Amino acid sequence: MASYATKVKKDIDRWVENGLLDRTTGDVLVRDVETNERNGLNFGSILAIMAALLFAAAILILVAANWETIPRIARVAGLFAVIFAGYVGGAWVKGQGHSGIGEALWLVAAAAFGGSIALIGQMYHFSGDEASAVVTWCIGTAIAAAVLRSNALTVAAVGIADSWLALKGFEFFRKEQFPHLFPAFMAAFWVLSLWTQSRAARHLILLSLIFYAVMLAMHFNTTEVSLVLALVSAAVLAASALAPEPVERVVQLGGRLPLHGLIGFLTGLGILQIDLIEGDGFVIAAAVALAVIAATIIFLGRESRALRWVAYLGFAFELAVVYLATVGTMLGTAGFFFAAAITLAVLAYAIIRIERRMKPATDGRTA
């Protein structure tokens, strides 16, 4: 993809010089090629990024091992050399048309930056915990992503922020230190993703916010948090169904916002059902869940196979939960398996019928 994009841009410059295209049209075409180059990944680019991640893991493990046999100054100098070589070398390689390799080198540099924070903290016994170091690493990576307009670094910054959420979120006995600023980080990273044109980062941000809501529910009031998550997600689904084009122009997710909305809705309502499992509210919540799943398939499922399969899984989960919470207590093991077999058979038949109806509209689509 990178070499093809480089060739096309050179051809566009030649066409403009020969008068075959005007400069305005040429600039528009170049920007379109650069956008697709930035969003596209070929097999070689994927392998380069995987190699970079492995190399980054090796750097972090070496830092964790303390390198006791290597002088301090040599350790610090080595990490800073990797940072410099990664960022500068990545920019040069990307300028030569090798986008995937350039992004991979930037990931190595970002990992070396995180390793240098940990190493300097180890050597000079700076005060602070691991979470503070992760936040510094996250901000540094985000700044690099903004300067370099890097898709990969934007995704990495969001992933590092998720690590911070996990570090603080699983400290169940220290609720006062829950990372309430996490949504602010995600809002800033959303703006960053628009600047770097990183659609993958925006997908990860939405999943991260759902994860944040789950952690918040585990720490505080389960009912209130899960209800808000379900309502906000239902609003996202409604907006996607009623005004798909304006919503897509805002979020720029390739039409996949409903997928996140459905995941958030099922997650929020699932937590709520666990909290209400012994009351009448459980049945009402289950009925609402089944109704929303059916509406999602009817109004939004035609455009996305992934959305339909999430809906199918959610429908199967709801049937299983309702059965276990109500009928399951009145039947033995044999009855459970008999009812499960009938339920799955009916579900399979329904899915086959729906997929056959949807197939003409989705042939050739990958969503």
Side-chain angles (χ1 to χ4, degrees):
M1 178 66 185
S3 59
Y4 166 76
T6 302
K7 182 179 183 302
V8 171
K9 286 189 283 185
K10 289 180 179 178
D11 287 339
I12 293 172
D13 290 337
R14 178 169 52 82
W15 295 335
V16 171
E17 290 176 1
N18 293 336
L20 299 175
L21 288 175
D22 60 86
R23 173 53 62 183
T24 301
T25 303
D27 291 341
V28 171
L29 291 173
V30 168
R31 283 196 296 272
D32 182 71
V33 170
E34 289 177 345
T35 299
N36 285 281
E37 177 186 13
R38 192 175 291 117
N39 290 331
L41 284 177
N42 56 26
F43 185 66
S45 298
I46 293 172
L47 289 180
I49 291 175
M50 291 175 63
L53 293 175
L54 291 173
F55 192 74
I59 292 174
L60 297 177
I61 292 172
L62 284 174
V63 171
N66 293 315
W67 298 358
E68 297 296 343
T69 59
I70 303 175
R72 289 182 177 181
I73 189 64
R75 284 180 268 172
V76 174
L79 283 174
F80 275 92
V82 173
I83 294 172
F84 179 81
Y87 282 130
V88 176
W92 182 83
V93 169
K94 192 166 186 178
Q96 300 301 309
H98 303 288
S99 179
I101 297 176
E103 296 274 1
L105 290 174
W106 288 343
L107 287 175
V108 172
F113 174 68
S116 65
I117 295 173
L119 180 61
I120 292 172
Q122 287 175 359
M123 293 190 306
Y124 298 103
H125 307 289
F126 289 155
S127 59
D129 57 5
E130 294 86 352
S132 300
V134 170
V135 170
T136 304
W137 184 15
C138 175
I139 294 174
T141 303
I143 293 173
V147 172
L148 299 168
R149 296 196 72 172
S150 168
N151 187 329
L153 287 178
T154 306
V155 175
V158 178
I160 296 170
D162 289 339
S163 300
W164 171 56
L165 173 61
L167 283 173
K168 303 300 293 183
F170 284 108
E171 294 180 351
F172 295 110
F173 301 104
R174 301 171 67 180
K175 293 184 179 181
E176 70 281 357
Q177 296 188 17
F178 188 83
H180 295 288
L181 287 176
F182 184 80
F185 272 79
M186 293 298 103
F189 289 157
W190 187 276
V191 176
L192 175 62
S193 72
L194 295 175
W195 167 250
T196 61
Q197 299 183 3
S198 177
R199 184 182 295 173
R202 290 192 288 279
H203 285 294
L204 183 58
I205 287 170
L206 292 178
L207 294 175
S208 300
L209 288 173
I210 295 173
F211 177 48
Y212 171 79
V214 172
M215 299 302 300
L216 197 64
M218 293 171 65
H219 274 260
F220 300 100
N221 191 304
T222 302
T223 302
E224 291 181 0
V225 175
S226 57
L227 182 59
V228 169
L229 175 60
L231 290 175
V232 171
S233 300
V236 168
L237 286 170
S240 300
L242 297 174
E245 293 183 2
V247 169
E248 175 57 26
R249 282 198 297 269
V250 173
V251 299
Q252 299 179 33
L253 285 170
R256 291 179 176 83
L257 180 62
L259 181 62
H260 295 285
L262 184 58
I263 292 173
F265 176 79
L266 294 175
T267 302
L269 211 63
I271 298 173
L272 184 64
Q273 285 178 278
I274 293 173
D275 194 48
L276 301 175
I277 196 165
E278 295 182 355
D280 296 334
F282 173 83
V283 177
I284 297 174
V288 171
L290 294 173
V292 171
I293 290 171
T296 300
I297 294 175
I298 293 171
F299 294 106
L300 295 167
R302 183 176 295 275
E303 300 299 327
S304 173
R305 183 175 298 173
L307 180 67
R308 296 201 301 275
W309 279 102
V310 170
Y312 299 152
L313 291 174
F315 184 73
F317 173 79
E318 284 297 327
L319 290 180
V321 169
V322 169
Y323 175 79
L324 291 174
T326 57
V327 184
T329 56
M330 296 182 291
L331 296 176
T333 304
F336 170 79
F337 286 117
F338 179 74
I342 294 177
T343 300
L344 289 177
V346 172
L347 182 60
Y349 176 78
I351 290 175
I352 291 171
R353 295 284 296 178
I354 293 172
E355 287 297 309
R356 283 179 178 175
R357 287 178 174 269
M358 299 290 185
K359 188 175 181 181
T362 56
D363 280 343
R365 299 189 182 188
T366 57

